[in-house]
Amino acid sequence: MSYSSKGRKVRRRRKSINVRNLIILIAGAVVTIVLFILLITGIVRLISKGIGALTGDGKEKNSSQISSTVSDTDSSSAESSQPALVYSNIQMTQADENQGELILINSTHGYQSEVEDLQIFWGNKNKSYSLLVAEMYAKPEVVTGMNEMMAAFQTQSGISSVMVSSAYRNVDDQQKMYDNDLAKNGTDTSETVAKAGYSEHHSGYALDLSYNSAAGTAYLDGTGSYSWLIENCYKYGFIIRYPEGKTAVTGMAYEPWHFRYIGKVHAEALTKGNYCLEEYIDMLRLHGQDNPYNFVSETGADYLIYYVPSGGTTTEIPIPQGKEYTVSGTNEGGFVVTVTMGSGSSYASDTKVSTAGTASSSN
Ligand SMILES: [Zn+2]
């Protein structure tokens, strides 16, 4: 009895010693593992900093931009998935500021260029729409966009009676329209016809669309089957330039018939953001090359969009090397650069690729 109890005591003591040893062993192992993890983390950080310093050479702006937007812990993976861009400058002239798909034309920003490359619709259009008169002109990309849009509209609705009732207009035509509108309405100013020199129709980027109704030719009102055009025109590069609810900004009443071409990327970005063109340019002005506006299209393509203010007689425009890009003047003192970053089916048919050859100098 006593022996067995003694024996039990001994066994208990041995057991408690074993437990103590085990605890010491585990604690030691934990401390070792923690020290090992700290050592490895330190080495990885040192290596990634070394790589960052190497790749940052000669492209300070971008490596600093990228490293400031990602946290310490995943800097190595972010740098390997998005290498820093190398920028070179191209030069644009003062005249270039007033040309391009994004030019802003309104009552305070007159059209200041001469359109050189107008294309006649007749012979270049498809049969999904008609023309009010045979001689109608617009920019070539507008004719192409109109062909695409109206073919899709006809497929979808079966309607092919939409008519271009006005396209490019010269200043004399606009003056007549303006005078007629004032006479008709007995007013001093017009909210539906722009003053001569201040109409988007001077640029070749604007179209008015009509249809044949029981009462004769009427402007599209954006209702019924025609609402498809309002909702889908951005896919073809067009916007409703004077949208509902934006009269205070545009200075023009809602015009569901007036379509303005600004290119597919910007038409989609503007429409999805619920901007009018004035607001869209205002927004882009906040995004310089250091802080570009990143727009991902529903096509999956990824774009960097940034604003470069005018530099006077010539403006140096930074362009990332090897990327497809477009540059448009804004007609309000700057340029908008659109860079295709890749993936998806990009809207890149009219873009240029920056190479060392076309770029004048590296900054
Ligand atoms: Zn119009």
Side-chain angles (χ1 to χ4, degrees), residues 150-214:
M150 299 316 293
F153 179 60
Q154 186 182 10
T155 301
Q156 184 281 143
S157 67
I159 299 171
S160 60
S161 58
V162 172
M163 173 192 291
V164 179
S165 52
S166 188
Y168 165 75
R169 280 182 219 145
N170 64 30
V171 174
D172 289 345
D173 295 338
Q174 190 68 26
Q175 188 64 52
K176 280 176 206 156
M177 280 191 70
Y178 188 76
D179 293 341
N180 288 343
D181 191 69
L182 296 193
K184 192 178 89 184
N185 297 313
T187 52
D188 293 334
T189 56
S190 174
E191 250 194 12
T192 50
V193 180
K195 279 184 180 169
Y198 296 83
S199 169
E200 291 201 315
H201 288 277
H202 298 322
S203 70
Y205 285 120
L207 299 175
D208 292 338
L209 302 185
S210 299
Y211 69 108
N212 288 312
S213 73

Side-chain angles (χ1 to χ4, degrees), residues 187-327:
T187 52
D188 293 334
T189 56
S190 174
E191 250 194 12
T192 50
V193 180
K195 279 184 180 169
Y198 296 83
S199 169
E200 291 201 315
H201 288 277
H202 298 322
S203 70
Y205 285 120
L207 299 175
D208 292 338
L209 302 185
S210 299
Y211 69 108
N212 288 312
S213 73
T217 304
Y219 279 133
L220 289 193
D221 60 7
T223 64
S225 301
Y226 301 104
S227 64
W228 185 94
L229 291 168
I230 308 271
E231 287 152 19
N232 294 277
C233 63
Y234 73 85
K235 294 171 186 167
Y236 308 94
F238 292 98
I239 57 167
I240 299 299
R241 176 65 178 89
Y242 310 115
E244 232 169 348
K246 301 282 188 183
T247 299
V249 188
T250 63
M252 300 289 275
Y254 175 45
E255 290 194 356
W257 60 84
H258 179 107
F259 290 73
R260 161 70 193 270
Y261 188 89
I262 61 170
K264 289 174 181 176
V265 178
H266 294 286
E268 185 187 344
L270 178 149
T271 303
K272 300 267 172 78
N274 193 31
Y275 299 108
C276 63
L277 190 56
E278 283 82 358
E279 294 169 330
Y280 186 62
I281 302 284
D282 279 348
M283 183 276 287
L284 292 183
R285 208 183 291 115
L286 303 174
H287 293 274
Q289 182 229 317
D290 292 346
N291 173 34
Y293 177 61
N294 184 204
F295 175 66
V296 179
S297 162
E298 63 189 18
T299 66
D302 194 347
Y303 300 93
L304 290 186
I305 304 169
Y306 50 91
Y307 185 93
V308 180
S310 166
T313 315
T314 57
T315 302
E316 301 281 334
I317 310 266
I319 303 286
Q321 284 184 5
K323 297 284 182 190
E324 292 184 349
Y325 71 95
T326 58
V327 179

